[in-house]
């Protein structure tokens, strides 16, 4: 407990960290970067995640950045277990609400403590080089899911391929350049409208974005 209270988190990169114990005999806490001290979470531990089936959402994505939507969480969430009290269900629902739509990383319950790191909302923006070319934008993806994008409107939904080449959205052609970020399952995508002027070096921008993002990831 004392060690958690003295833990210093960079609000530049991290919003909060959850330390979730194995069962009712092991305490769970949330440490927020912008607040002193820690908050005890009596109705959140791994046994409850197991009884509610939520552990099946998190464990496959250990050590990777991911965004869980409300649909992702609710599709697995079950409340019919006799081992879940109304207070337990409320605690789990609060946890889901706090992390949904946020970029998170988990440790896969290593060493008996399940750690969930919630990144600050502007995390990716700090790694992407500024550029003001009309019709040009960056996206960051995990697999086929867009985690973050500077694209206007609903564009991220139209990049399922995440590969070099072109896509056509509502009559407009977009060209995509992609850089994979190893060892993370992440891709940085630079997209330009076909008719937009090429007043920049796409390869150089992708390298800059990739190096900056990896630097942030290894220090968060």
């Amino acid at each position: 407990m004392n060690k958690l209270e003295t833990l210093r988190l960079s609000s530049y990169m991290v919003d909060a960290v959850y330390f979730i114990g194995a069962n009712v005999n092991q305490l769970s806490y949330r440490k927020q970067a912008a607040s002193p001290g820690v908050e005890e979470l009596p109705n959140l531990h791994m046994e409850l995640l197991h009884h509610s089936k939520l552990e099946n959402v998190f464990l496959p994505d250990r050590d990777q950045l991911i965004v869980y939507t409300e649909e992702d969480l609710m599709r697995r969430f079950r409340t019919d277990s006799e081992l879940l009290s109304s207070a337990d269900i409320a605690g789990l629902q609060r946890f889901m609400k706090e992390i949904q739509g946020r970029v998170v990383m988990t440790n896969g319950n290593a060493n008996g403590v399940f750690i969930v790191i919630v990144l600050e909302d502007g995390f990716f923006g700090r790694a992407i080089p500024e550029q003001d070319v009309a019709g040009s934008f960056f996206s960051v993806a995990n697999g086929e899911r867009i985690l973050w994008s500077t694209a206007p409107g609903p564009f991220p939904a139209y990049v399922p391929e995440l590969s070099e080449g072109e896509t056509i959205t509502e009559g407009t052609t977009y060209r995509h350049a992609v850089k994979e970020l190893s060892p993370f399952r992440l891709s940085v995508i630079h997209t330009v409208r076909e008719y937009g002027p090429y007043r920049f070096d796409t390869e150089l921008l992708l390298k800059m974005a990739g190096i900056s993002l990896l630097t942030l990831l290894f220090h968060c």
Side-chain angles (χ1 to χ4, degrees):
M1 177 68 171
N2 292 334
K3 289 183 179 180
L4 292 182
E5 289 181 339
T6 59
L7 179 63
R8 294 185 179 181
L9 301 176
S10 171
S11 58
Y12 185 76
M13 295 186 289
V14 177
D15 179 66
V17 179
Y18 291 80
F19 301 90
I20 301 174
N23 51 51
V24 70
N25 298 314
Q26 189 174 359
L27 298 177
S28 298
Y29 298 97
R30 180 176 69 161
K31 171 70 174 178
Q32 292 185 287
S35 301
V38 296
E39 177 187 3
E40 186 176 335
L41 305 172
N43 297 106
L44 183 64
H45 50 76
M46 282 304 296
E47 279 192 353
L48 298 182
L49 292 176
H50 174 73
H51 297 324
S52 66
K53 308 303 182 184
L54 281 177
E55 70 173 1
N56 297 328
V57 177
F58 303 115
L59 297 185
D61 299 312
R62 62 176 297 174
D63 301 324
Q64 298 294 330
L65 295 185
I66 191 70
V67 173
Y68 297 110
T69 65
E70 180 180 10
E71 181 183 358
D72 292 330
L73 299 171
M74 293 304 297
R75 184 168 58 245
R76 295 279 192 174
F77 188 47
R78 298 291 181 270
T79 61
D80 54 0
S81 172
E82 295 181 356
L83 299 175
L84 292 174
S85 68
S86 57
D88 294 334
I89 293 171
L92 290 167
Q93 290 173 329
R94 177 190 173 190
F95 173 62
M96 289 190 294
K97 185 175 181 179
E98 290 170 347
I99 67 169
Q100 70 186 32
R102 307 292 300 277
V103 180
V104 303
M105 177 182 283
T106 73
N107 72 334
N109 196 28
N111 300 319
V113 178
F114 184 51
I115 298 176
V116 180
I117 300 173
V118 182
L119 297 186
E120 200 274 328
D121 287 337
F123 178 83
F124 287 123
R126 294 189 173 93
I128 302 302
E130 294 184 4
Q131 41 84 43
D132 58 0
V133 179
S136 169
F137 37 87
F138 281 95
S139 302
V140 177
N142 180 318
E144 294 189 353
R145 174 165 298 188
I146 299 294
L147 303 183
W148 174 89
S149 180
T150 61
F155 179 82
Y158 297 99
V159 196
E161 300 87 356
L162 304 184
S163 59
E164 306 278 346
E166 299 181 351
T167 57
I168 299 177
T169 302
E170 297 181 352
T172 300
T173 299
Y174 296 91
R175 299 181 64 180
H176 312 291
V178 180
K179 181 173 182 58
E180 305 292 338
L181 299 182
S182 178
F184 299 92
R185 296 196 304 260
L186 292 178
S187 302
V188 179
I189 308 161
H190 191 210
T191 300
V192 185
R193 288 195 183 98
E194 187 178 53
Y195 61 78
Y198 283 85
R199 289 178 273 166
F200 50 86
D201 187 326
T202 294
E203 183 176 355
L204 177 60
L205 282 174
L206 279 173
K207 286 182 178 179
M208 290 172 59
I211 292 172
S212 298
L213 185 51
L214 285 174
T215 300
L216 284 178
L217 288 171
F218 283 118
H219 285 83
C220 71

